[in-house]
Amino acid sequence: MEHEVRLAGPADLAGLPAIEDSADPLFAPLGIVFPPGPTVVEQMIGKDAEILVAGDPPVGFAALEELDGAVHLEQISVRGDLVGRGIGAGLLRAVLDRAAAAGAPGVSLLTFRDVPWNGPWYARHGFTELPEERWGQGLRAYWDAEIEAGLHDLGPRVVMWAPSV
């Protein structure tokens, strides 16, 4: 089934936290249980972020923003019952295309290094680990905020990068 990727409209925003929440149980068998609090997308909606959605109504989303002169992918989430159907890959392709069209040098993200649908999945889509000496101030601040929030206690994290093409 094809899910067209588009910019989120105001009517899409209220349903996005439920998409993110629906995917969280997939992490439990790996021992990763996220702390209570606002979802990532709820935090991004309040910032100057761009949110892409797949489908109408949305079944997945990607939240991105400018960071250190590049595009930063803060979150991709697909409804838990639809994971593995290419929706996330379509969203990621749209993020990379938007970065290239905007003239950004690439896309950065922070993710779990070993979770199969995180670090290894991004690696299959052209992302590589970004060495710490290449992190800008924004990435460093995000990394430090994740440590402070306890996210690194849930499993090894990694900063990844894909150049725009």
Side-chain angles (χ1 to χ4, degrees):
M1 178 187 296
E2 183 70 24
H3 297 281
E4 180 184 351
V5 177
R6 60 186 172 79
L7 277 173
D12 297 317
L13 300 179
L16 300 183
I19 293 171
E20 186 174 335
D21 287 340
S22 76
D24 284 354
L26 300 172
F27 289 85
L30 303 175
I32 298 172
V33 178
F34 295 103
T39 62
V40 172
V41 75
E42 286 171 312
Q43 296 171 39
M44 295 299 290
I45 289 169
K47 295 171 76 174
D48 187 22
E50 184 173 76
I51 300 175
L52 304 177
V53 294
D56 190 6
V59 297
F61 69 86
L64 48 142
E65 63 184 334
E66 188 278 328
L67 187 68
D68 296 331
V71 171
H72 181 73
L73 175 58
E74 181 60 27
Q75 177 85 355
I76 281 186
S77 193
V78 173
R79 213 172 70 195
D81 63 330
L82 296 176
V83 168
R85 298 186 186 187
I87 299 166
L91 284 161
L92 185 57
R93 178 79 263 149
V95 169
L96 291 165
D97 289 349
R98 289 183 86 75
V107 177
S108 64
L109 59 89
L110 285 76
T111 194
F112 287 105
R113 172 179 282 135
D114 303 320
V115 172
W117 56 90
N118 281 195
W121 184 82
Y122 285 110
R124 286 193 306 275
H125 290 278
F127 283 78
T128 58
E129 188 167 345
L130 186 65
E132 190 170 349
E133 62 269 11
R134 292 189 47 212
W135 298 1
Q137 290 180 344
L139 278 174
R140 168 60 60 196
Y142 271 46
W143 184 264
D144 292 345
E146 283 193 354
I147 292 170
E148 181 70 26
L151 197 55
H152 290 240
D153 296 336
L154 302 176
R157 302 284 291 168
V158 63
V159 175
M160 299 186 85
W161 171 267
S164 291
V165 251

